[in-house]
């Protein structure tokens, strides 16, 4: 992992606070600083790995991270993409001593690594902080439930349409974006095969729904892509 960098400014001066951190008072922010360090990583670097002991909760300030888990057959499954504002590793606090999944940067990222014991203490110290964290967890869980049901009940066209809309509407907030995945990774995200993804992308391109040049994706017919998603 890229080495820890010294904090260039205090948590009070940071312009990329989460709602939970904005709820802290001055003393609580000073306490947070005791166990918080800025960390920058390059594309493809590991934030943490499944099965290893955990020590930090990670707040993602800039960039994108894939959350993935190894299945019983040895196949890596991408669970979601974390975007700026996400807390990564938070589920592990009450789930044992080891990471239950891996996190790998899809782009260059800027993060805050927060010591677990500091994070836990803040939950006990500040009702507002813990309320915001609980709200964040609930929203993440509901989003995941919806995506899980869609993935299980839709055909290949619908699942891939969902993935493209997910990248467009939830991650990049743009109908034109750089695809962060290989076709293998995209297949892992939607529970398919590389061949199936390649074939369906070609079908979408031939019908004028999307345009892809190198890794730049342009959603040409957004409404048609939504209809494919809805029909499943």
């Amino acid at each position: 992992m890229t080495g820890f960098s010294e904090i260039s400014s205090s948590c009070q001066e940071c312009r990329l606070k989460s709602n939970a951190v904005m709820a802290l008072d001055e003393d609580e922010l000073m306490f947070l600083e005791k166990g918080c360090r800025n960390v920058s990583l390059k594309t493809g670097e590991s934030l943490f790995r499944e099965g290893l002991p955990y020590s930090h909760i990670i707040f993602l300030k800039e960039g994108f991270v894939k959350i993935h888990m190894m299945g019983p057959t040895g196949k890596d499954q991408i669970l979601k993409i974390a975007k700026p504002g996400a807390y990564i590793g938070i589920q592990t606090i009450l789930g044992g001593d080891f990471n239950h999944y891996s996190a790998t940067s899809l782009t260059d990222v800027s993060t805050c690594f927060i010591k677990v014991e500091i994070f836990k203490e803040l939950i006990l110290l500040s009702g507002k902080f813990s309320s915001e964290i609980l709200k964040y967890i609930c929203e993440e869980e509901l989003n995941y439930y919806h995506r899980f049901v869609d993935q299980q009940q839709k055909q290949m066209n619908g699942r891939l349409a969902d993935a493209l809309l997910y990248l467009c509407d939830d991650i990049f907030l743009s109908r034109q974006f750089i695809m962060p995945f290989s076709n293998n990774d995209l297949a892992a995200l939607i529970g398919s095969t590389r061949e199936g993804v390649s074939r369906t992308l070609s079908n979408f391109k031939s019908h004028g729904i999307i345009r892809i040049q190198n890794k730049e994706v342009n959603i040409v017919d957004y409404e048609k892509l939504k209809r494919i998603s809805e029909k499943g």
Side-chain angles (χ1 to χ4, degrees), residues 53-82:
Y54 74 89
S55 57
H56 293 79
I57 302 298
I58 300 169
F59 178 67
L60 183 59
K61 296 194 293 185
E62 296 177 311
F64 299 96
V65 170
K66 70 175 179 179
I67 307 301
H68 51 113
M69 179 185 290
M70 194 66 68
T73 63
K75 183 179 180 180
D76 200 37
Q77 179 74 44
I78 296 176
L79 304 174
K80 69 172 185 176
I81 302 172

Side-chain angles (χ1 to χ4, degrees), residues 128-142:
K128 291 181 179 179
F129 179 84
S130 55
S131 177
E132 288 293 339
I133 292 299
L134 182 59
K135 180 181 177 182
Y136 169 80
I137 293 172
C138 290
E139 289 174 349
E140 287 291 297
E141 288 292 291
L142 287 173

Side-chain angles (χ1 to χ4, degrees), residues 168-184:
C168 169
D169 295 337
D170 296 341
I171 301 301
F172 295 109
L173 307 180
S174 172
R175 297 184 186 182
Q176 187 170 332
F177 54 87
I178 302 298
M179 174 61 73
F181 296 130
S182 66
N183 282 359
N184 278 328

